Amino acid sequence: MADCRKSVPKVVAQAAKAEGIRPEKLARSIASGRAVLPFNEIHSPKPLAIGEGTRVKVNVNIGTSADYVDLKEELGKARAAVKYGADAIMDLSTGGDIGKIRRAILKEVRVPVGTVPIYQAGMEKARRSAVVDMTEDDIFNAIVAHAKDGVDFVTVHCGVTRESVDALKRSKRITDVVSRGGAFLVAWILRNGEENPLYSNYDYLLEIAKEYDLTLSLGDGMRPGCIADATDEPQVQELITLGECVQRARKAGVQAMVEGPGHVPLHQIVANVQLEKTICDEAPFYVLGPLVTDIAPGYDHITGAIGGALAALAGADFLCYVTPAEHLCLPSIDDVRDGTIASVIAAHAADVARGIGADRDMDMARARKALDWEGQFRSAIDPDTARARHERRGSSDGDVCSMCGDLCAIKMVSDALGGGKKPASRPRKR
Amino acid sequence: MADCRKSVPKVVAQAAKAEGIRPEKLARSIASGRAVLPFNEIHSPKPLAIGEGTRVKVNVNIGTSADYVDLKEELGKARAAVKYGADAIMDLSTGGDIGKIRRAILKEVRVPVGTVPIYQAGMEKARRSAVVDMTEDDIFNAIVAHAKDGVDFVTVHCGVTRESVDALKRSKRITDVVSRGGAFLVAWILRNGEENPLYSNYDYLLEIAKEYDLTLSLGDGMRPGCIADATDEPQVQELITLGECVQRARKAGVQAMVEGPGHVPLHQIVANVQLEKTICDEAPFYVLGPLVTDIAPGYDHITGAIGGALAALAGADFLCYVTPAEHLCLPSIDDVRDGTIASVIAAHAADVARGIGADRDMDMARARKALDWEGQFRSAIDPDTARARHERRGSSDGDVCSMCGDLCAIKMVSDALGGGKKPASRPRKR
């Protein structure tokens, strides 16, 4: 939002309206850095606020890999994500014509789009020599190129510093580094013996962000890759650096949020959210999962939904989805749908607990009580799947389902209570 | 466990061994009623303890409905449940030859089997006239018949009393009663104007339980059927009655656990567990889900896994799974598998947080670091699905996956660190 005088009030008002909150309140949260509104005028997405006072948001990662490049499939993933409730999309493409794919995705969706520019810088260098041969210019030029295409937010791993690499070397980590961008920079630092340009030239990065309306998503290159590595020295060391980056961004008038883990056991999730909120002074917290166990490949959308719900309940603002393909392969369109829905469930469950959005649950409850199947499908996150399942096994009696048939509890009790109870409705409650 | 002198020590020792805990410790928990060991000598399942000091257990409901009766399919569900990690199975059949189906399931599986005898009493009466025409004898005869077949635990809705029906009438509940057994009894009380025989003749029930080695699972007929109804007067009124039933069971030397909700918003789950633990004096808590939102039909195994993980972290002992078919239709074998795995993930995540079972996560983490795919599949909850996904999209490079290809973070950092870091291994930690 380069031109604050002109565009901010309007997009903030639109974002506030979508949340059902007062624009002034949201404007204050954004001004203080406790909320962000990723909005690049070149893309001009539907205004979306992330952070204090707003509902929990869901991001969906898509993108090609070196082995699978199919633009049509990626656009299909983008559409599926938006259809099932994604609030934002990140294009993590590393295969094919990365710029062309990014521009096609930006054209396809009206939700904010994020990228990780260092992927392109590293990948294009890797095609000719090696990732570690990237220059500072390659990195910053990639960021500018993404900004000029209209990207709304970028992940920048500014906290992967020589200090955190030293912490990594000292650590007893099992999986070391599992962040791809983090790995690029760890390898780069070790090879070149120099500081991470995203940190040593952070002021220059802030200038670019300011000039091109880029919201920074401060990446956690040191995020744990297994639950045993969670909340350890490299992770917390990096978080402290990210807290410093948040303050410098705020001083420069640049919007910043902070990325978080990763693999975190259930009992450490609340602590992780609280740590970020204190160290990063309430900057919006954008978590990947967290995955609460390592042993469920094929079902990591579920482990991520468990962790995401608890993280959001504790104050996380933005959930990056995880698909059933995590740790195994590049996701398909179906995987994107399943991952999106799992994260939307987690975000909504936390919202309801925080007092937001339970109207839809009330509508569903009333439709269930009335045995109104169309009403139930209307209130469902995925009406088509709900309908297909219900119709897969029809019941001999039209108004009940094949689970209980005529022994439907709701039907029996409605009949038994008869007129003895007032109609099922009441004011909305938490 | 009618003959304490003979069988208890042996089965307790076996159950303790399976948990990796001292037999004396488990025996104390069982003696105090803070753990149960459902074990009917006629069935003689693999001894399984539920409650204090043991890992979180998962129950899988199977069974026919009036519209779908296929014994072969039900046995397939039982096998799938056990294969994917179910600790116990409940046969909730209401269609076909209910006794024959129950006996076939008891013969098929070596995990403890539970039933809800009132389903059979009610269903058989419904075929001739109506559920509400059940007599007291019908109800108790069904319980004895199930016990004589070897059923290890039975759900008995002793807390659905005239008092709780009055609370229901006064309440502003949306979905009233969604428990099938609860609905039978509410309808029965309203029709016959008498007290629930399972409460008025609870001493007789305790005699039967004592005689036939039956563990009681005190059912929550008043459990909320939508998140707006959670933790309300009918639910808590019933819980107080169940607390009384727990005390009377303990005095009679009968094992008892307590069933819980249901639909519960995320922020009320911890309170629900704490309520049960105080009111029911630390009796094992057996929760259904809980489902943290109402709007995800088709994905309720995920909403249930979120609630179950948090409930178990807060102290719930036994998770009843929920399948993707919940609220829609009778589950298929695939639904049973998906539901089982989701609950196993939730239970395991809570166990790890409570200091149990993280070795398997460590094995997975080490296999990931070593890019050892066979090792990863071995440590996975569902090796077949993990393998199939990984192979669905092969990578051009054999040791990485199609997500990142050669840009694999683990591979890059291993190469970059070279010999500069000690091998990835360390003592087990929480």
Side-chain angles (χ1 to χ4, degrees), chain A residues 105-142:
Chain A
I105 290 169
L106 279 161
K107 206 173 152 192
E108 182 71 31
V109 298
R110 289 219 53 222
V111 298
V113 170
T115 59
V116 189
I118 204 169
Y119 286 0
Q120 186 169 12
M123 192 64 202
E124 290 183 349
K125 194 58 78 173
R127 286 176 191 163
R128 291 187 300 271
S129 56
V131 168
V132 292
D133 295 332
M134 283 183 301
T135 64
E136 284 202 31
D137 280 350
D138 292 332
I139 296 172
F140 285 107
N141 289 343

Side-chain angles (χ1 to χ4, degrees), chain A residues 342-389:
Chain A
S343 278
V344 165
I345 288 171
H348 177 73
D351 276 339
V352 166
R354 292 160 80 172
I356 299 171
D359 319 48
R360 201 165 159 192
D361 296 79
M362 295 281 274
D363 290 343
M364 175 65 83
R366 289 197 194 96
R368 284 197 171 130
K369 176 64 182 172
L371 300 174
D372 167 10
W373 290 94
E374 289 305 319
Q376 292 177 50
F377 301 147
R378 263 198 310 277
S379 297
I381 287 179
D382 179 358
D384 299 343
T385 294
R387 184 190 301 277
R389 270 188 182 280

Side-chain angles (χ1 to χ4, degrees), chain A residues 65 67-68 73 94 123 131 168-180 183-184 187 190 226-230 263 266-268 292-299 301-303 305-306 309-310 313 324-325 327-332 335 337-338 341-342 345-346 348-350 352-353 360-362 364-366 368-369 373 376-377 379-382 385-386 389-390 392-396 401-405 407 409-410 412-413 416-417 421-422 424 426 429-430, chain B residues 65 67-68 73 94 123 131 168-180 183-184 187 190 226-230 263 266-268 292-299 301-303 305-306 309-310 313 324-325 327-332 335 337-338 341-342 345-346 348-350 352-353 360-362 364-366 368-369 373 376-377 379-382 385-386 389-390 392-396 401-405 407 409-410 412-413 416-417 421-422 424 426 429-430:
Chain A
S65 70
D67 290 314
Y68 289 90
E73 187 179 5
T94 55
M123 192 64 202
V131 168
L168 174 67
K169 284 184 187 168
R170 279 194 306 273
S171 80
K172 291 176 178 173
R173 279 201 161 189
I174 297 177
T175 55
D176 289 329
V177 175
V178 295
S179 151
R180 193 156 48 176
F184 282 19
L190 287 168
C226 64
I227 57 173
D229 289 350
H263 293 242
L266 211 44
H267 63 300
Q268 292 179 15
V292 294
T293 172
D294 305 331
I295 66 169
Y299 301 87
H301 58 313
I302 298 177
T303 59
I306 293 171
L310 187 53
L313 180 67
H327 299 110
L328 296 170
C329 64
L330 192 74
S332 66
D335 294 333
R337 180 201 57 211
D338 289 347
I341 289 172
I345 288 171
H348 177 73
V352 166
R360 201 165 159 192
D361 296 79
M362 295 281 274
M364 175 65 83
R366 289 197 194 96
R368 284 197 171 130
K369 176 64 182 172
W373 290 94
Q376 292 177 50
F377 301 147
S379 297
I381 287 179
D382 179 358
T385 294
R389 270 188 182 280
H390 180 61
R392 188 182 67 192
R393 299 213 203 210
S395 172
S396 53
C401 86
S402 57
M403 183 75 190
C404 302
L407 299 181
I410 283 180
M412 289 188 68
V413 172
L417 284 172
K421 187 166 176 295
K422 59 180 140 344
R426 65 167 160 179
K429 76 159 197 177
R430 281 191 54 180
Chain B
S65 69
D67 291 313
Y68 288 90
E73 187 179 6
T94 55
M123 192 63 201
V131 168
L168 175 67
K169 283 185 187 167
R170 279 194 306 274
S171 80
K172 291 177 176 171
R173 280 202 160 186
I174 297 178
T175 55
D176 290 328
V177 174
V178 296
S179 152
R180 193 157 47 177
F184 282 18
L190 287 168
C226 64
I227 57 173
D229 289 348
H263 292 242
L266 212 43
H267 63 300
Q268 291 180 14
V292 294
T293 171
D294 304 330
I295 65 169
Y299 301 87
H301 59 313
I302 299 177
T303 58
I306 293 171
L310 188 52
L313 181 66
H327 299 109
L328 296 170
C329 63
L330 193 74
S332 67
D335 293 333
R337 180 201 59 212
D338 289 348
I341 289 172
I345 288 171
H348 178 73
V352 166
R360 201 165 158 192
D361 296 78
M362 295 280 275
M364 176 65 83
R366 290 197 192 94
R368 284 197 171 130
K369 175 65 181 172
W373 290 94
Q376 293 178 51
F377 302 146
S379 296
I381 286 178
D382 179 359
T385 294
R389 273 190 179 279
H390 180 62
R392 188 182 67 192
R393 300 212 202 210
S395 172
S396 53
C401 86
S402 56
M403 183 77 191
C404 302
L407 299 180
I410 283 180
M412 289 188 67
V413 172
L417 285 170
K421 186 165 177 298
K422 61 179 136 347
R426 64 168 161 178
K429 77 157 194 176
R430 283 190 53 180

Side-chain angles (χ1 to χ4, degrees), chain B residues 130-204:
Chain B
V131 168
V132 291
D133 295 333
M134 281 184 300
T135 63
E136 285 203 31
D137 279 350
D138 291 334
I139 296 173
F140 285 107
N141 287 344
I143 295 170
V144 171
H146 285 226
K148 284 185 171 173
D149 282 341
V151 164
D152 302 291
F153 62 104
V154 290
T155 293
V156 278
H157 301 86
C158 305
V160 177
T161 58
R162 284 195 287 203
E163 193 177 9
S164 62
V165 172
D166 287 342
L168 175 67
K169 283 185 187 167
R170 279 194 306 274
S171 80
K172 291 177 176 171
R173 280 202 160 186
I174 297 178
T175 55
D176 290 328
V177 174
V178 296
S179 152
R180 193 157 47 177
F184 282 18
L185 286 163
V186 168
W188 192 94
I189 289 169
L190 287 168
R191 171 65 164 270
N192 299 291
E194 287 178 33
E195 186 53 284
N196 173 1
L198 294 170
Y199 182 70
S200 58
N201 280 319
Y202 185 61
D203 286 333
Y204 178 48

